[in-house]
């Protein structure tokens, strides 16, 4: 399949409710291996930068994108992304896009796509975005391509310059980072190049080669440094039995088992996601066993350590989930906070006195992070915050001892964690 046609198919499936990763893994196998990267870049770029691309289209078309035929609008986004972000030469961006659109749309509607994209190619000197000095919210929503409710809540909490850097970071495609499970330097196989990630010992950016090839030769997992930071923060002296209750796909469970040397029981509500843990645990020879379970009803009462890496809005990993920012809303956030509360309460009951509960998210939102933990500590006076594990990076530890990885400072994903000790 032509890579632009594949990108269009992915956008169509996401519009109809499929998650971007699922749509991509269904459609990409039909694309030549050499073109898959381009198809994915265009599709995910169009999803992340939807509002930015629509501003360009609005500046060049006779009607706003919201009033266009959806299939036409997706072709325009695909063309606009190549023209403004990939810097594809004009004749290729317009010609290839319109060529691929013609068989799907017919001559007349493809002619419209052609006219708008040609106008955009001529008018790239126009600035179609709100002035950041006059309308910073509008600028971050439009140029920054983030929903307004999220921009407003971030601006109420952090400096404008930081929110701008956060938005920029969330708009970049993520690197693939390999995390060594032991301290040795990696010896990558032929065709694989790794670069150390500054500030994150044992994390290496994959510069060349496939993750599968790298992993087949290394004692490592693919894991963003922010997720590795949660494992380090949890610590390496973990009392048994160790339970990871929202474990799938499982890189933190593998990191915990490798770091502590003790067996980890990995639980998750999703059988399909949990199944992805078996092969890497076997390859690495790590004592990680799996079972399907609902973390709101745990089948144990005497755990020494529980990691609850709970389902969350994922506002720290928006660059990874290309369509997620447009699905989120206050209602979804509230529902997740309620689910997290149920999970953390059930986990608290599963830890024995003296044991440790590590609560973590990949969210930046206060209600899911320190707000959730503070409310938990009010309900459970038998728990206290515990100091960070020895491996925690000190500039990511808050004055109260929680882990908070802020993407605009680290260039990584975002993450939060708290260590909670049961004292009675
Ligand atoms: C943030 S992900 C976990 C990532 C994982 N810890 C890792 O490092 O690879 C959250 C997980 O929670 C699982 N989940 C959602 N609701 C759950 C529940 N009630 N009980 C157990 N797991 C649940 C999801 O299936 C998902 O795999």
């Amino acid at each position: 399949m032509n890579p632009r046609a594949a990108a269009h198919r992915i956008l169509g499936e996401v519009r109809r409710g499929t998650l971007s990763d699922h749509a991509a893994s269904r459609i990409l196998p039909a694309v030549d291996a050499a073109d898959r990267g381009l198809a994915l870049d265009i599709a995910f770029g169009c999803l992340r930068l939807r509002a930015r691309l629509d501003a360009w289209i609005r500046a060049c078309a006779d009607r706003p994108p919201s009033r266009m035929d959806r299939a036409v609008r997706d072709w325009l986004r695909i063309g606009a992304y190549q023209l403004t972000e990939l810097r594809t030469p004009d004749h290729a961006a317009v010609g290839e896009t319109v060529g691929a659109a013609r068989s799907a749309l017919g001559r007349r509607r493809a002619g419209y796509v052609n006219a708008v994209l040609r106008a955009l190619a001529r008018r790239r000197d126009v600035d179609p975005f709100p002035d950041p000095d006059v309308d910073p919210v509008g600028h971050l929503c439009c140029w920054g391509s983030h929903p307004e409710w999220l921009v407003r809540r971030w601006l109420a909490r952090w400096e404008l310059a930081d929110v701008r850097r956060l938005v920029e970071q969330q708009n970049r495609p993520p690197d693939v980072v390999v995390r060594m499970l032991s301290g040795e330097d990696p010896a990558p196989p032929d065709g694989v190049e790794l670069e150390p990630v500054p500030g994150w010992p044992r994390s290496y950016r994959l510069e060349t080669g496939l993750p599968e090839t790298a992993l087949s030769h290394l004692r490592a997992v693919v894991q963003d440094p922010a997720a590795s930071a949660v494992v380090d923060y949890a610590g390496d002296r973990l009392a048994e039995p160790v339970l990871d209750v929202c474990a799938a796909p499982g890189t933190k469970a593998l990191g915990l088992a490798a770091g502590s040397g003790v067996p980890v029981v990995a639980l998750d509500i999703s059988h399909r996601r949990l199944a992805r843990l078996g092969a890497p645990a076997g390859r690495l020879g790590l004592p990680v066993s799996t079972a399907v379970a609902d973390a709101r009803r745990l089948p144990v009462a005497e755990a020494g350590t529980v990691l609850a890496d709970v389902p969350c809005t994922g506002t720290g990993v928006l660059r990874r989930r290309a369509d997620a920012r447009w699905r989120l809303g206050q209602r979804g956030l509230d529902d997740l906070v309620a689910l997290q509360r149920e999970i953390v309460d059930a986990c608290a009951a599963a830890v024995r006195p003296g044991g440790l509960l590590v609560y973590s998210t990949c969210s930046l939102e206060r209600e899911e992070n320190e707000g959730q933990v503070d409310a938990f500590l009010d309900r459970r006076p038998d728990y206290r915050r515990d100091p960070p594990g020895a491996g925690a990076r000190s500039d990511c530890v808050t004055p109260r001892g929680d882990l908070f990885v802020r993407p605009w400072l680290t260039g990584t994903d975002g993450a939060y964690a708290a260590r909670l000790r049961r004292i009675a």
Side-chain angles (χ1 to χ4, degrees):
M1 193 190 299
N2 170 302
R4 290 165 179 86
H8 194 267
R9 284 272 287 278
I10 293 172
L11 296 185
E13 290 221 2
V14 170
R15 220 179 334 103
R16 287 186 285 278
T18 308
L19 294 177
S20 53
D21 285 346
H22 294 181
S25 47
R26 233 190 347 248
I27 291 163
L28 286 181
V31 180
D32 271 355
D35 286 337
R36 277 181 206 157
L38 176 63
L40 195 65
D41 185 0
I42 294 176
F44 282 14
C46 287
L47 291 168
R48 283 191 206 96
L49 296 180
R50 188 175 96 184
R52 184 185 296 181
L53 299 172
D54 282 2
W56 282 110
I57 295 167
R58 197 176 302 116
C60 302
D62 61 344
R63 70 198 89 146
S66 58
R67 290 194 14 233
M68 289 176 179
D69 172 293
R70 289 171 179 185
V72 166
R73 187 176 62 198
D74 283 345
W75 283 113
L76 288 174
R77 287 174 179 161
I78 288 171
Y81 181 72
Q82 296 167 77
L83 286 168
T84 60
E85 300 293 328
L86 292 187
R87 308 275 164 191
T88 311
D90 294 357
H91 64 276
V94 179
E96 298 281 338
T97 304
V98 173
R102 190 170 295 126
S103 51
L105 291 180
R107 192 170 283 278
R108 191 181 59 78
R109 290 194 299 162
Y112 181 76
V113 171
N114 183 47
V116 176
L117 291 182
R118 281 193 186 286
L120 174 47
R122 282 194 305 274
R123 300 189 58 193
R124 253 168 312 176
D125 50 334
V126 176
D127 180 354
F129 308 112
D131 182 335
D133 297 327
V134 177
D135 179 7
V137 174
H139 186 77
L140 289 170
C141 294
C142 188
W143 169 84
S145 197
H146 272 64
E148 185 173 339
W149 74 279
L150 216 43
V151 166
R152 286 196 184 280
R153 71 176 5 246
W154 290 346
L155 282 174
R157 202 164 150 209
W158 298 306
E159 300 288 329
L160 175 59
D162 289 340
V163 176
R164 190 185 156 102
R165 284 160 69 199
L166 170 59
V167 156
E168 278 174 339
Q169 168 80 356
Q170 306 270 37
N171 284 341
R172 280 186 213 115
D175 297 320
V176 177
V177 175
V178 165
R179 152 88 162 186
M180 296 299 290
L181 291 178
S182 46
E184 87 248 19
D185 290 339
D190 287 349
V192 172
E193 276 177 52
L194 298 172
E195 272 300 313
V197 180
W200 299 96
R202 290 164 56 191
S203 291
Y204 296 81
R205 193 170 34 249
L206 183 67
E207 298 288 329
T208 314
L210 295 173
E212 309 82 272
T213 318
L215 290 187
S216 64
H217 286 72
L218 299 172
R219 194 167 169 71
V221 290
V222 169
Q223 187 178 58
D224 187 81
S228 309
V230 172
V231 176
D232 293 343
Y233 172 84
D236 55 6
R237 295 172 54 196
L238 306 179
E240 292 183 58
V242 180
L243 258 58
D244 180 350
V245 299
C246 295
T251 52
K252 290 193 190 81
L254 296 171
L256 286 180
S260 64
V262 301
V264 172
V265 180
L267 308 173
D268 199 280
I269 203 165
S270 163
H271 178 269
R272 186 181 53 79
R273 283 171 62 82
L274 204 52
R276 290 162 59 188
L277 184 44
R283 172 176 62 80
L284 294 162
L286 287 170
V288 176
S289 56
T290 60
V292 175
D294 186 334
R296 292 167 294 184
R297 285 176 279 279
L298 287 172
V300 231
E302 283 291 305
T305 310
V306 170
L307 170 64
D309 187 32
V310 294
C312 69
T313 54
T315 55
V317 293
L318 293 178
R319 61 182 182 154
R320 263 172 221 289
R321 304 184 189 155
D323 54 327
R325 69 192 67 182
W326 309 116
R327 294 178 189 273
L328 291 174
Q330 185 66 48
R331 260 263 295 287
L333 169 62
D334 294 343
D335 290 349
L336 282 162
V337 169
L339 172 61
Q340 293 155 1
R341 177 186 162 124
E342 272 191 81
I343 291 177
V344 74
D345 282 349
C347 290
V351 172
R352 66 170 179 256
L356 180 71
L357 167 56
V358 182
Y359 172 87
S360 67
T361 75
C362 53
S363 167
L364 304 175
E365 308 316 306
R366 208 195 288 274
E367 300 91 317
E368 298 181 272
N369 294 345
E370 63 270 41
Q372 183 73 263
V373 167
D374 291 346
F376 167 75
L377 291 173
D378 284 346
R379 291 194 299 281
R380 294 289 305 233
D382 54 335
Y383 273 84
R384 294 259 191 288
R385 278 187 161 92
D386 205 47
R393 203 175 114 162
S394 57
D395 61 347
C396 294
V397 174
T398 70
R400 300 165 83 193
D402 298 350
L403 177 80
F404 191 31
V405 184
R406 288 161 289 179
W408 63 94
L409 298 180
T410 52
T412 64
D413 288 346
Y416 169 86
R419 292 175 97 246
L420 305 165
R421 179 74 61 188
R422 183 166 185 181
I423 50 172

